[in-house]
Amino acid sequence: MGNVMPQIHSNGINIEYETFGNQQDPYLLLIAGVGQQLTMWPQAFCQLLAEKGFFVIRFDNRDVGLSTKYSESKEPGLLRLFLHQLWGGPISPVYSLDDMTKDCVGLLDALGIEKAHIIGASMGGMIAQLIAANFPGKTLSLTSIMSTSGSPSLPKPAPYVVRNTFIKSIVNTKTFIINKAKYIQHNSECLRILGSKSFPLDETTRQEIVAKDMARSFYPQGFKRQMTAIIVDGDRSLRLAKIQAPTLVIHGEQDPLFAVECGRHTAESIPNAELACIKDMAHDLPPELYEKITGLITTHISQHLCPGSNSLKENEHSYADHHA
């Protein structure tokens, strides 16, 4: 089981987090994707990383799960988001990916952690990229999973994916609040569309996953505000060029949301980044691939650590003091 911790107040918000493993081991921060709770990183996946010698931290981003919500804030309408995508019209997000980046750094600071290995998936990969670019002193290494540089030259998501996942999620928010059965049905379908076809989940299992997350926290409203932050952030290519941390990009060759070219371009944009493409992976973390993905992460980190940098002796006292 993960160690359930009290919420941390940092960067002006409350952040819900959990940890796995021995705090004497290297710190590893996991950042979730758009609209996803910390449970996007399954417990078994986190435990496997802990067994491989890491102190794992997973947390709820702002506006999702048990962290601070922005219920009183208005967000742009779907039409304005669409026009911004086409022509870059004016748009004012409630918060930005830079704000969410500062949440991550604030969480580490509040825990007394000087620096960590940063791992993010999808939107979490974008945030992880920005941590490495803007806070090099906090970043021991970067792993960007099933994410993108945001370059407009890259292939767009398949239209059926956009229509049946993102647009429906935004348009039907009020319907989902009233009719939770439709929310379960919709998100189960999202798992099917985005999931790895080589490792399919049956409908009952998909619905159980969604229902379990709903029991923890039901807040579909945050999805649109996080999506707005992604859209406004735009192209990160030039910012990625600043990254000096050892970087691994992991991407599924079957990803229907961010085509494998998105992973390749991310790796090409970051100096000396390594790219690992997984043949049977789409836009998910199938249990069948836990060992492969955690193995890639472990190998990457161990290959690039400088002598002594895998030891967290310098940080252990501050963490222990914080939780004394």
Side-chain angles (χ1 to χ4, degrees):
M1 288 289 292
N3 302 312
V4 180
M5 312 297 284
Q7 287 192 339
I8 284 288
H9 185 80
S10 186
N11 199 31
I13 65 170
N14 294 322
I15 302 174
E16 182 79 11
Y17 73 101
E18 296 178 357
T19 65
F20 298 79
N22 187 335
Q23 69 185 58
Q24 307 294 325
D25 290 333
Y27 299 129
L28 196 159
L29 183 69
L30 300 177
I31 311 171
V34 62
Q36 300 293 304
Q37 302 183 52
L38 56 77
T39 51
M40 173 193 166
W41 302 100
Q43 182 170 302
F45 183 88
C46 297
Q47 288 175 329
L48 188 54
L49 283 169
E51 290 167 7
K52 290 181 182 293
F54 298 101
F55 184 67
V56 181
I57 305 162
R58 65 177 185 175
F59 69 100
D60 288 328
N61 285 310
R62 61 168 64 195
D63 230 3
V64 72
L66 304 178
S67 292
T68 293
K69 311 295 192 306
Y70 285 75
S71 305
E72 304 304 316
S73 301
K74 292 184 178 180
E75 66 281 328
L78 185 61
L79 176 60
R80 180 166 290 186
L81 287 177
F82 178 70
L83 293 175
H84 179 83
Q85 280 284 77
L86 289 178
W87 296 296
I91 190 171
S92 299
V94 176
Y95 48 79
S96 66
L97 287 191
D98 282 330
D99 292 323
M100 300 180 79
T101 297
K102 292 173 184 175
D103 294 343
C104 299
V105 173
L107 173 61
L108 293 176
D109 286 342
L111 294 177
I113 297 173
E114 182 179 341
K115 55 184 66 177
H117 300 283
I118 310 298
I119 299 177
S122 198
M123 179 190 73
M126 303 173 195
I127 295 170
Q129 295 163 15
L130 292 175
I131 294 174
N134 298 331
F135 297 92
K138 303 297 290 186
T139 310
L140 284 170
S141 72
L142 165 66
T143 301
S144 178
I145 304 174
M146 54 183 165
S147 193
T148 180
S149 65
S151 171
S153 66
L154 292 169
K156 302 297 185 288
Y160 78 93
V161 173
V162 176
R163 182 175 62 252
N164 291 303
T165 58
F166 294 97
I167 292 179
K168 282 189 176 181
S169 294
I170 293 173
V171 170
N172 293 325
T173 297
K174 292 181 180 178
T175 301
F176 294 153
I177 294 171
I178 297 170
N179 191 328
K180 293 185 178 181
K182 288 189 176 181
Y183 178 83
I184 292 176
Q185 182 179 10
H186 167 73
N187 280 274
S188 172
E189 182 66 4
C190 289
L191 291 178
R192 185 192 68 79
I193 291 172
L194 297 174
S196 299
K197 301 301 182 283
S198 298
F199 312 109
L201 296 173
D202 61 77
E203 185 174 356
T204 299
T205 301
R206 296 197 309 269
Q207 291 193 0
E208 287 174 350
I209 291 172
V210 177
K212 186 175 181 180
D213 272 355
M214 279 183 61
R216 181 176 184 270
S217 174
F218 177 65
Y219 191 73
Q221 299 95 308
F223 179 88
K224 185 176 180 181
R225 288 188 285 267
Q226 291 188 352
M227 274 300 304
T228 303
I230 292 172
I231 291 170
V232 171
D233 193 68
D235 187 356
R236 284 174 298 284
S237 301
L238 294 179
R239 286 171 283 175
L240 298 189
K242 300 190 304 179
I243 294 176
Q244 296 300 313
T247 298
L248 171 65
V249 176
I250 299 175
H251 213 96
E253 293 185 6
Q254 306 302 318
D255 196 323
L257 179 61
F258 296 133
V260 69
E261 288 84 359
C262 297
R264 291 198 182 103
H265 190 261
T266 300
E268 291 168 0
S269 300
I270 300 173
N272 303 311
E274 299 177 14
L275 173 65
C277 295
I278 301 179
K279 180 179 179 181
D280 296 326
M281 179 177 166
H283 200 78
D284 62 344
L285 294 172
E288 293 86 350
L289 293 178
Y290 288 177
E291 185 63 48
K292 183 174 186 66
I293 295 171
T294 58
L296 286 169
I297 292 169
T298 302
T299 299
H300 165 68
I301 290 174
S302 64
Q303 286 178 340
H304 290 282
L305 285 172
C306 298
S309 65
N310 63 331
S311 171
L312 299 181
K313 298 291 185 183
E314 61 190 277
N315 291 330
E316 67 184 60
H317 297 298
S318 59
Y319 186 94
D321 290 345
H322 183 84
H323 295 286

